[in-house]
Amino acid sequence: MKKMGINEIRSKFTEFFREKDHYIAKSHSLIPSDDKSLLLINSGMAPLKKYFSGLETPPKARMSTVQKCIRTGDIENVGVTARHATFFEMMGNFSFADYFKEEAIQYAWEFITKYLNMPEEKLWVTVYESDDEAYDIWKNIVGFPEERIVRLGKEDNFWEIGLGPCGPCSEIYFDKGESYGCGCEDCKPGCDCDRYLEFWNLVFTQFNKEEDGSYSELKNKNIDTGMGLERMGCIMQEVDTIFEVDTIDRIIQKTSEYANKKYGEDPVSDKSIRIVTDHIRSVAFMIGDGILPSNEGRGYVLRRLLRRAARHGKLLGIENAFLNKLVDVVIETSGEAYPELVEKEAYIKKVISIEEEKFAETLQQGLDILKKHTEEMQERGEKIVSGEHAFKLYDTYGFPIDLTEEILMEEGLKVDLEGFDKEMEAQKNRARAARGNQEGEAWKEDPLSELDDVESKFDGYSNLEINSPIKVIVIDSELSDNIESNQKGEIILEETTFYANGGGQVGDKGQITSENGIFEVEDTVKGTNGSIKHIGFMKEGKFNTGDIVQTHVNKSLRMDAARNHSATHILHKVLKDVLGEHVNQAGSLVDPYRLRFDITHFEQITKDELKTIENLVNEKIFESLTINAETMNIKEAKEKGAVALFGEKYREVVRVVQMGDFSTELCGGTHLENTSQIGLFKIISESGIAAGVRRIEAITGRAVYNHLLAKEQIISDLTDTLKTKEDNLFARANQIVEENKKMEKELHSIQSKMNMQMADDIIEQKVDVNGVNLITNKYEGMDMDSLREVADNLRDKVENSVVVVANISDDKINFVATVSSEAIKKGAHAGNLVREIAKIAGGKGGGRPNMAQAGASDINMVDKALSTAKEILETQVK
């Protein structure tokens, strides 16, 4: 058996199935498309479920892919063992009601024996216990030795996920030799020992699992196979673990070099090296597909992997940021197969660098918080940090529990690990509950999937009206022959001028009419198998399937949406010019009223930058650039310099929208004929919506005009209120502000004098607490500066004193506590004192020994809270 590298195996697999007349699809993004049941793509068939379920028609009835996948269900085991990994590639061939068991088995056998030259005597196969058909194909057609065909039960050789399509499997195994076995004479596939390695699973989807638990035969049978590329690499390179195959070993060696350690000498270091190696592969591919670090969803998975890798880099003794450098090795080994890694190299490195830097900051922040907490514990004589607090450090600051344990041990303290585990499990349960068991939903069919021909032709780029027959009517998720007055439903036409939502642009609105009635279209969306669904209600009359009707797109709304859409193309290019080429579209919304544009950028866009961006966009509008749209194949479009949107999948034939020589993008949306039709462009807001993602909201055309009218009205109202002319408005406003400041200063001075005069009366009410003078008082309507000043004055007037004052304002309480140096020496602590007082009134706070403040909400408890000051102070000074 000739040794083969990972890239050669992948290439041979693709070449083989191309020769077998399969459509070779590129790997889908790790971000699932229209599949809420998955956080990340975790198998070769996952992106193809829409084809298996009949929701969409595949590009060809036989397909093959090499799919990048992420699985994080057992992330804690990655590194601990040499088998687990989060990132892997799954090779697969698929048939959608084309070939079935005989061809699938023969293809698999031919590939592994003729293309990979695997020794036949080392191969074993398993089949489902009652699948005589598969057994006979292996035995009689392939000629596989009967003694190496093993029948296994449902747990091993039957594939199903909830309800829907399912079926038996046949798996192919490689015999690694007796030295890996258990010594049992009857050792064979199905045994728990490590001798037999399963490397290719052939799934024969021939049944449908019904709600009552029964299985019915599918009319259209499918094939779904999966072979792990890294696992096959282990066999072909005669190594024991995936971390020894050529492409991954390159990363292992580079990581070892950075750590100045030799892999294989120390189990502790080896674990950290494996974690870094695996995680950097996942991280590079995830960022390359447009995922950014965040605190939820797939962004949280990315952040967790990044931080875990960075943490183990620290454990290896690597002090400086290094993960972004490791990306070079990932690209060197996988860039040819996955060109998006090469295209996004600078971007991937930038995201990793920023996240490494942030983690370094949060790591120190976590250390500071832990130190403060342990100091408070020691003051209270406590020895065990609660699991809740340890989990907060882990969850909020990415603070590893092992590091928490290590630091606490140095202080003679422990952590409640059982409590930590409970908090971790509670979080997992919350995540499961939030995600729900939606796997079954992924297979759920809609009524249109029952029909062979529901595709709608869109002819609305230049036309807003067209005559077309009604193909399908759907009411309450059921097919119907007609729709009558006041009924809500969906209409599918043979041809339509209504744009269905896509590319960030919302669907058109308008009417569908005939002499028999009027259907009010409230939204237009894409449906099953290329259909375009007009959603709305029958305003009057009645439509039947087959009726010839006329479309009437709302022209005003279409034009306003087109203004916003064309503006986003100009904005995208301007953002790259002003902020840098790292900017990529991360999402958008285009409707008739505004545009929302999300971009990858790592800091707030300054006011000056926003002004420049807005000016440049308007300059391109004023230049009256011609907008052209034409269809071409994807290769021509890229040669033309068309910008493809991050994470989007495109067909072979694409639509290219060009605005003069300034902007060229792939886009299926509706646009204007000239940029001057946009009118004006105005940025309304800029904000951050996730780590590394900024959002710009803007308006165009008539919305800008209405915006100006509103501003004009505000100015008019202000001139009337301030009794001045428009050109003097700013000066008048400044004058009023200065007058207010002067009045506030005078009022503060008067209040201070009054408070000083009242001080003697308050001091007379002081209470002796074990030799310390306690002074308390309540105020109303006082600002915080005045409250602090009153407290300081009272403290300075009385030696060895503790002062606690409260103020009620706007149904809220503010407490201030201040302690003299003599009282501190006796044990008084302002922070601890005010914290306990505030609790009585439903509040919290704290601070330093000499000065602290707190807030509370229950104004009915302020007197009781102040009255507890004596009791609390008694516990401090003894």
Side-chain angles (χ1 to χ4, degrees):
M1 183 171 66
K2 174 192 170 186
K3 289 188 177 181
M4 287 187 190
I6 286 290
N7 290 320
E8 185 180 0
I9 296 169
R10 186 196 300 110
S11 178
K12 280 187 174 293
F13 184 84
T14 300
E15 176 190 339
F16 175 80
F17 280 102
R18 182 178 284 112
E19 289 180 1
K20 300 300 180 185
D21 198 29
H22 283 61
Y23 174 80
I24 309 300
K26 292 181 180 179
S27 172
H28 287 72
S29 168
L30 287 167
I31 302 174
S33 176
D34 299 325
D35 187 351
K36 294 180 181 179
S37 69
L38 289 178
L39 199 62
L40 292 159
I41 292 299
N42 59 6
S43 68
M45 65 78 63
L48 310 179
K49 282 195 287 190
K50 56 195 173 188
Y51 302 145
F52 283 109
S53 65
L55 291 175
E56 287 189 20
T57 303
K60 197 170 185 178
R62 44 177 68 191
M63 287 178 64
S64 178
T65 66
V66 180
Q67 176 63 45
K68 49 194 174 186
C69 304
I70 297 278
R71 287 183 188 170
T72 58
D74 50 8
I75 187 173
E76 287 80 10
N77 289 323
V78 174
V80 177
T81 75
R83 296 194 308 270
H84 290 86
T86 57
F87 177 83
F88 61 96
E89 297 177 62
M90 186 61 73
M91 302 185 289
N93 58 291
F94 310 92
S95 166
F96 307 103
D98 185 24
Y99 61 81
F100 198 47
K101 290 183 187 180
E102 184 174 331
E103 294 90 337
I105 290 172
Q106 287 183 306
Y107 288 157
W109 182 247
E110 182 181 353
F111 178 69
I112 60 179
T113 57
K114 305 299 183 190
Y115 273 63
L116 299 186
N117 295 312
M118 295 178 73
E120 295 183 19
E121 68 275 9
K122 290 278 191 179
L123 300 174
W124 288 66
V125 297
T126 64
V127 296
Y128 182 48
E129 57 189 357
S130 62
D131 192 357
D132 294 334
E133 182 184 5
Y135 189 96
D136 290 341
I137 292 169
W138 278 113
K139 177 187 172 185
N140 300 323
I141 297 179
V142 172
F144 197 81
E146 189 173 6
E147 63 272 15
R148 295 209 305 272
I149 305 174
V150 180
R151 293 181 186 264
L152 293 177
K154 194 168 186 179
E155 185 177 336
D156 296 295
N157 273 74
F158 196 93
W159 180 90
E160 65 181 1
I161 301 179
L163 303 178
C166 57
C169 314
S170 179
E171 296 179 320
I172 310 176
Y173 287 76
F174 183 80
D175 182 359
K176 295 161 64 178
E178 290 183 9
S179 61
Y180 292 89
C182 58
C184 176
E185 283 188 19
D186 196 36
C187 183
K188 57 187 174 183
C191 181
D192 291 333
C193 71
D194 291 332
R195 177 172 176 174
Y196 299 96
L197 181 66
E198 181 269 318
F199 63 88
W200 203 345
N201 186 16
L202 316 178
V203 179
F204 312 126
T205 312
Q206 64 187 93
F207 301 118
N208 191 72
K209 186 175 182 180
E210 308 295 347
E211 292 186 3
D212 62 2
S214 63
Y215 296 90
S216 59
E217 194 87 11
L218 284 173
K219 177 183 175 184
N220 296 320
K221 297 177 175 61
N222 304 313
I223 290 293
D224 161 23
T225 86
M227 174 165 59
L229 177 56
E230 292 84 358
R231 187 172 291 193
M232 179 55 75
C234 289
I235 296 172
M236 299 303 296
Q237 294 172 36
E238 298 179 359
V239 295
D240 289 335
T241 77
I242 61 171
F243 291 96
E244 297 172 81
V245 300
D246 58 333
T247 53
I248 303 177
D249 181 63
R250 290 270 300 277
I251 308 172
I252 286 275
Q253 299 308 319
K254 180 59 72 173
T255 305
S256 301
E257 180 185 319
Y258 287 140
N260 196 27
K261 297 182 186 294
K262 188 172 181 180
Y263 182 70
E265 291 187 347
D266 175 36
V268 175
S269 295
D270 288 353
K271 170 187 170 182
S272 292
I273 290 170
R274 284 194 294 267
I275 287 171
V276 170
T277 297
D278 170 78
H279 288 7
I280 194 60
R281 296 177 78 216
S282 295
V283 162
F285 277 94
M286 290 173 77
I287 297 171
D289 278 349
I291 301 170
L292 286 167
S294 70
N295 288 327
E296 59 184 15
R298 59 184 67 95
Y300 178 73
V301 173
L302 173 59
R303 172 162 285 166
R304 186 181 177 194
L305 293 173
L306 258 170
R307 292 190 170 187
R308 193 165 188 252
R311 163 70 180 144
H312 281 273
K314 293 287 186 290
L315 291 177
L316 287 167
I318 306 173
E319 291 300 325
N320 299 320
F322 72 103
L323 292 175
N324 63 322
K325 298 175 186 175
L326 273 181
V327 171
D328 290 337
V329 191
V330 179
I331 293 175
E332 285 168 13
T333 55
S334 302
E336 185 176 347
Y338 299 98
E340 63 268 24
L341 292 175
V342 180
E343 294 169 9
K344 303 297 179 184
E345 178 180 359
Y347 172 76
I348 293 168
K349 288 183 175 180
K350 180 73 173 176
V351 173
I352 291 174
S353 295
I354 289 171
E355 190 64 17
E356 272 193 284
E357 186 180 324
K358 282 183 179 179
F359 181 54
E361 294 171 0
T362 57
L363 191 63
Q364 188 57 52
Q365 191 176 3
L367 285 167
D368 292 342
I369 289 171
L370 185 57
K371 182 180 179 183
K372 180 182 177 183
H373 186 66
T374 54
E375 287 175 351
E376 292 175 354
M377 283 177 59
Q378 288 168 332
E379 284 181 12
R380 297 191 295 267
E382 298 173 358
K383 294 292 183 181
I384 300 177
V385 172
S386 70
E388 182 181 358
H389 192 84
F391 183 76
K392 182 179 179 183
L393 284 168
Y394 167 81
D395 194 43
T396 305
Y397 301 101
F399 213 69
I401 187 65
D402 56 346
L403 181 59
T404 303
E405 284 187 276
E406 184 181 327
I407 295 168
L408 291 173
M409 194 179 298
E410 293 170 1
E411 299 291 332
L413 304 172
K414 295 181 179 180
V415 63
D416 176 12
L417 290 175
E418 187 177 338
F420 177 87
D421 291 339
K422 284 181 180 178
E423 292 290 332
M424 178 70 80
E425 187 59 31
Q427 187 198 58
K428 288 179 179 177
N429 289 336
R430 289 192 295 271
R432 290 188 196 106
R435 186 168 61 246
N437 183 19
Q438 300 177 14
E439 281 289 352
E441 290 299 311
W443 296 103
K444 190 175 181 180
E445 298 185 1
D446 71 16
L448 299 182
S449 65
E450 301 173 10
L451 307 177
D452 295 329
D453 178 22
V454 292
E455 186 173 358
S456 308
K457 179 184 176 184
F458 175 67
D459 187 22
Y461 287 122
S462 55
N463 301 320
L464 296 182
E465 297 182 357
I466 197 172
N467 291 321
S468 173
I470 296 176
K471 272 190 168 185
V472 181
I473 295 173
V474 177
I475 299 175
D476 294 330
S477 299
E478 297 287 342
L479 298 175
S480 175
D481 293 330
N482 54 62
I483 183 169
E484 298 181 357
S485 181
N486 296 320
Q487 279 189 311
K488 293 182 177 180
E490 303 166 3
I491 291 178
I492 289 89
L493 305 177
E494 190 171 291
E495 292 185 71
T496 184
T497 55
F498 282 82
Y499 179 81
N501 65 312
Q505 182 176 331
V506 300
D508 279 332
K509 297 182 179 182
Q511 291 183 336
I512 297 174
T513 68
S514 77
E515 59 184 15
N516 297 321
I518 299 173
F519 183 83
E520 197 73 32
V521 180
E522 298 175 307
D523 196 7
T524 310
V525 301
K526 294 175 182 176
T528 302
N529 289 338
S531 63
I532 295 176
K533 299 196 288 189
H534 306 82
I535 301 172
F537 65 96
M538 202 68 197
K539 189 174 183 180
E540 60 181 68
K542 178 181 178 181
F543 285 165
N544 298 304
T545 55
D547 284 358
I548 303 297
V549 293
Q550 186 173 45
T551 62
H552 302 273
V553 175
N554 186 309
K555 183 177 181 180
S556 176
L557 294 178
R558 164 70 78 85
M559 281 293 291
D560 286 344
R563 288 186 178 96
N564 287 328
H565 203 153
S566 295
T568 64
H569 283 225
I570 300 174
L571 175 61
H572 193 185
K573 181 62 167 62
V574 167
L575 286 166
K576 284 180 176 286
D577 292 344
V578 175
L579 302 179
E581 281 298 317
H582 67 275
V583 167
N584 283 293
Q585 182 176 334
S588 70
L589 173 67
V590 175
D591 65 27
Y593 314 104
R594 58 170 178 151
L595 66 90
R596 189 181 73 204
F597 201 70
D598 300 339
I599 60 165
T600 51
H601 188 56
F602 309 101
E603 56 191 353
Q604 183 177 359
I605 304 174
T606 67
K607 289 183 179 179
D608 286 342
E609 286 171 334
L610 287 172
K611 187 175 181 181
T612 299
I613 291 164
E614 187 174 276
N615 286 341
L616 288 174
V617 172
N618 279 305
E619 281 301 316
K620 294 302 170 184
I621 292 171
F622 300 150
E623 285 179 21
S624 300
L625 302 176
T626 300
I627 301 175
N628 285 319
E630 55 181 324
T631 56
M632 60 186 72
N633 67 52
I634 188 73
K635 185 179 178 182
E636 285 179 293
K638 288 184 176 180
E639 289 173 354
K640 201 178 180 73
V643 175
L645 300 187
F646 216 25
E648 285 287 320
K649 288 290 178 184
Y650 295 96
R651 295 180 180 272
E652 286 303 311
V653 177
V654 294
R655 187 166 179 265
V656 178
V657 176
Q658 190 168 5
M659 301 186 182
D661 295 327
F662 183 69
S663 166
T664 306
E665 285 192 22
L666 302 179
C667 181
T670 65
H671 287 275
L672 306 167
E673 296 177 354
N674 191 288
T675 60
S676 63
Q677 292 174 286
I678 297 171
L680 280 173
F681 172 85
K682 177 67 184 171
I683 294 175
I684 299 300
S685 68
E686 187 274 346
S687 60
I689 60 168
V693 181
R694 308 299 299 183
R695 170 168 290 174
I696 291 176
E697 296 191 75
I699 52 177
T700 62
R702 79 176 79 237
V704 177
Y705 175 68
N706 291 331
H707 178 77
L708 292 173
L709 288 179
K711 294 288 186 185
E712 189 177 75
Q713 186 61 50
I714 292 171
I715 292 171
S716 176
D717 292 343
L718 282 171
T719 57
D720 291 344
T721 302
L722 301 181
K723 301 189 185 325
T724 186
K725 294 181 178 179
E726 186 177 320
D727 56 5
N728 192 50
L729 193 56
F730 184 74
R732 176 62 179 144
N734 269 338
Q735 179 187 352
I736 292 171
V737 169
E738 290 303 319
E739 288 175 355
N740 279 341
K741 286 181 180 178
K742 184 178 178 181
M743 290 172 65
E744 286 174 2
K745 191 174 181 181
E746 290 175 356
L747 181 61
H748 183 73
S749 177
I750 293 169
Q751 284 180 333
S752 295
K753 289 176 183 178
M754 290 174 63
N755 290 333
M756 291 292 288
Q757 290 171 0
M758 295 169 59
D760 291 339
D761 294 335
I762 296 169
I763 290 170
E764 286 182 9
Q765 306 299 319
K766 69 180 184 294
V767 177
D768 182 275
V769 180
N770 297 333
V772 172
N773 293 303
L774 173 63
I775 303 168
T776 62
N777 199 51
K778 179 179 71 174
Y779 299 90
E780 292 187 11
M782 189 179 291
D783 60 70
M784 279 301 295
D785 287 340
S786 298
L787 191 64
R788 282 190 289 264
E789 185 179 338
V790 165
D792 288 344
N793 286 336
L794 290 170
R795 179 201 61 206
D796 293 343
K797 281 180 173 288
V798 180
E799 293 182 356
N800 196 17
S801 60
V802 173
V803 177
V804 182
V805 291
N807 176 70
I808 299 174
S809 181
D810 297 327
D811 292 330
K812 292 180 181 178
I813 311 167
N814 286 311
F815 293 100
V816 171
T818 181
V819 179
S820 68
S821 57
E822 300 95 337
I824 291 174
K825 291 176 183 177
K826 285 181 172 288
H829 191 292
N832 295 339
L833 180 62
V834 82
R835 182 187 303 113
E836 297 304 316
I837 290 171
K839 284 181 182 178
I840 306 298
K844 57 185 178 179
R848 303 185 303 275
N850 64 321
M851 190 272 172
Q853 60 190 53
S857 57
D858 191 349
I859 61 175
N860 296 318
M861 297 297 288
V862 67
D863 291 326
K864 183 176 180 180
L866 287 174
S867 70
T868 63
K870 179 176 181 296
E871 180 184 339
I872 297 167
L873 186 59
E874 284 174 345
T875 65
Q876 295 183 350
V877 292
K878 297 178 181 178

